[in-house]
Amino acid sequence: GRVIRISRNEDPENSNVHFFTSHFFSTLDDEGPEAVSSWTEKKGIDIFAKKFVFIPINQSLHWSLCVVVNPGFILNEFNEDGDDNDDFPCILFLDSLKAHKKTRIASRIRNWLNHQFTRLNKFSDVIKNDAELKKPFTKDTMEVFDPRSKSVTCTTTSLR
């Protein structure tokens, strides 16, 4: 297989991945999604065009990692055509000690995604006035998985 390298010199607008610093989640947790909106807006980064968004979390002297997978595929969750595409949105939560509350962290991440979804007005032509799609990221449409879970079946696309 082909080896894919990700470097700090990669063009953030055209890359399939985005890495936040640990300060991102701390600010999101303390001040809400409005406080971190400019983190992508100023750089012209569309998180819905990314395959992976990495969010490191440092709390209580412990590190964990939250990976948002395929956030732009959220509309597939509402697609009634029964598309069998393996690409779907989910959150991977990597916490070796299980010290952080994954449901609480995932809730904050979904709240941020919903805020970005509305702010970017990304899919306005699709959602129109559908109230269900005003906040499409829920625990039902974007599940959180951890590697120790028996139900980990989240299929991710390659970084091609």
Side-chain angles (χ1 to χ4, degrees), residues 120-136:
L120 291 172
N121 201 20
K122 187 88 175 148
F123 306 105
S124 60
D125 56 330
V126 177
I127 57 176
K128 296 185 174 113
N129 293 320
D130 192 336
E132 186 179 41
L133 290 178
K134 295 288 183 184
K135 291 193 175 188

Side-chain angles (χ1 to χ4, degrees), residues 80-139:
E80 295 179 10
D81 295 339
D83 191 0
D84 289 335
N85 193 340
D86 286 340
D87 299 332
F88 63 92
C90 66
I91 295 172
L92 299 179
F93 189 68
L94 310 169
D95 182 359
S96 62
L97 300 178
K98 293 196 177 272
H100 296 156
K101 297 198 182 291
K102 73 178 178 183
T103 54
R104 183 182 152 283
I105 289 171
S107 176
R108 298 287 193 284
I109 298 297
R110 288 187 202 105
N111 188 32
W112 167 69
L113 288 167
N114 282 322
H115 182 267
Q116 290 290 95
F117 189 86
T118 302
R119 183 184 69 78
L120 291 172
N121 201 20
K122 187 88 175 148
F123 306 105
S124 60
D125 56 330
V126 177
I127 57 176
K128 296 185 174 113
N129 293 320
D130 192 336
E132 186 179 41
L133 290 178
K134 295 288 183 184
K135 291 193 175 188
F137 295 93
T138 68
K139 63 182 179 181

Side-chain angles (χ1 to χ4, degrees), residues 18-32:
H18 184 71
F19 295 86
F20 284 107
T21 65
S22 60
H23 187 59
F24 174 83
F25 186 80
S26 299
T27 304
L28 173 64
D29 198 28
D30 293 341
E31 301 175 34

